[in-house]
Amino acid sequence: MKEDSEVRWAPLTARTFADFELVMGANGGARGCWCMHWRVPFPEWQRGRGSGNRERMAERAASDPPPGVVCYLRGEPVGWVGIGERAEYRRMQRSPVMRPVDDVPAWVISCIYLRRGYRRRGLQAGMIEAACEFAAGYGQHTVDAYPVDPADGRLAGADNAMTGIASAYRAAGFTELGRAKADRPVMRRVVAAGVVGSPAPSG
C-alpha cells in the first residue's frame, strides 16, 4: 500500500469524538443512526434518531473498551468501524443472518461507514484491517463479520451495506464460514492478539 493511502486509526473516545462526528456528518450516518442500530431495541433506536442516538454513542465512547475505531487518511478523519463483543449487539444476535454459527468467542464488526467524498476509493479493506488491529490489541483472537455480497456488485442503498462488502473482507484476510442467505456470507478472521499497528498520530 502506498504511504499516502495508508489507513491509520484511533479508538473512539472523548478525544476523538469530534472526528467521529465529522465522519458521520450532520445526519449521524444513515437515518440518524450514530451506530446505535444494533445496540438497542428498534423502538428505542427509532426514538433516539438524531441527537438521542448521538448522546448514547457519546456515553458509550467514554467506556472501555471503546466501541470502535475512527479511521484516518493523511491525518484526515475519513471513516468509522464499529466493532465489539457480540453480546453488545442484542439485535444482531436475533437476526437470522447474523446470529452466531458456533461457540467460538469473537468480536463482531457491526458497521463500516465512510465519510462523503471518500467513498468508492477502495478504503474498506484498510479500515477492516484497522478494526482487526484494534481487536488484537484488546487480546481478541477472532473477528466475525456479516457483510453484503451482491451477485451483480450493486447495492440498493448505502445503508444496506452498513456491515461492509464481502470483497473488502476477503482482501483483509477473512474467510467464509457459510451463508444464511445467498448474498449474506458469514466471515471470520483469526487475528494475532496483542498486535497493534498504524495508529493515527495524536493531536
Side-chain angles (χ1 to χ4, degrees):
M1 182 179 293
K2 294 181 181 179
E3 181 65 27
D4 64 356
S5 63
E6 183 178 4
V7 173
R8 296 183 178 274
W9 59 271
L12 178 59
T13 63
R15 184 181 68 82
T16 57
F17 199 82
D19 291 343
F20 172 68
E21 290 179 297
L22 188 61
V23 169
M24 301 301 277
N27 291 331
R31 296 177 292 164
C33 182
W34 291 101
C35 205
M36 293 301 300
H37 179 82
W38 300 114
R39 302 170 193 272
V40 297
F42 181 76
E44 187 175 336
W45 175 84
Q46 195 169 37
R47 287 194 301 271
R49 286 171 61 175
S51 61
N53 285 336
R54 179 199 167 280
E55 291 172 7
R56 290 285 297 271
M57 181 52 74
E59 292 173 1
R60 177 63 185 83
S63 59
D64 193 62
V69 295
V70 181
C71 296
Y72 299 80
L73 191 65
R74 296 183 292 276
E76 185 73 14
V78 300
W80 157 254
V81 185
I83 181 172
E85 296 179 8
R86 189 186 300 278
E88 182 171 352
Y89 306 117
R90 289 176 282 175
R91 290 179 60 196
M92 186 175 282
Q93 292 190 78
R94 295 193 296 270
S95 167
V97 297
M98 298 180 183
R99 57 192 175 201
V101 296
D102 55 30
D103 296 328
V104 174
W107 274 18
V108 178
I109 293 178
S110 61
C111 176
I112 298 180
Y113 190 84
L114 274 157
R115 181 180 168 188
R116 289 186 182 276
Y118 291 91
R119 298 168 188 171
R120 302 184 186 279
R121 294 193 185 186
L123 297 176
Q124 274 202 13
M127 293 168 60
I128 294 165
E129 181 68 37
C132 289
E133 291 172 354
F134 168 68
Y138 272 87
Q140 301 304 306
H141 294 271
T142 306
V143 176
D144 283 356
Y146 304 88
V148 178
D149 192 16
D152 59 2
R154 299 180 180 180
L155 294 165
D159 56 342
N160 290 329
M162 70 172 72
T163 52
I165 305 299
S167 59
Y169 283 94
R170 294 187 192 103
F174 279 67
T175 57
E176 186 172 326
L177 301 180
R179 296 190 180 220
K181 289 179 62 177
D183 63 345
R184 299 303 300 269
V186 178
M187 304 188 78
R188 173 172 289 171
R189 176 176 162 181
V190 176
V191 299
V195 175
V196 178
S198 299
S202 60

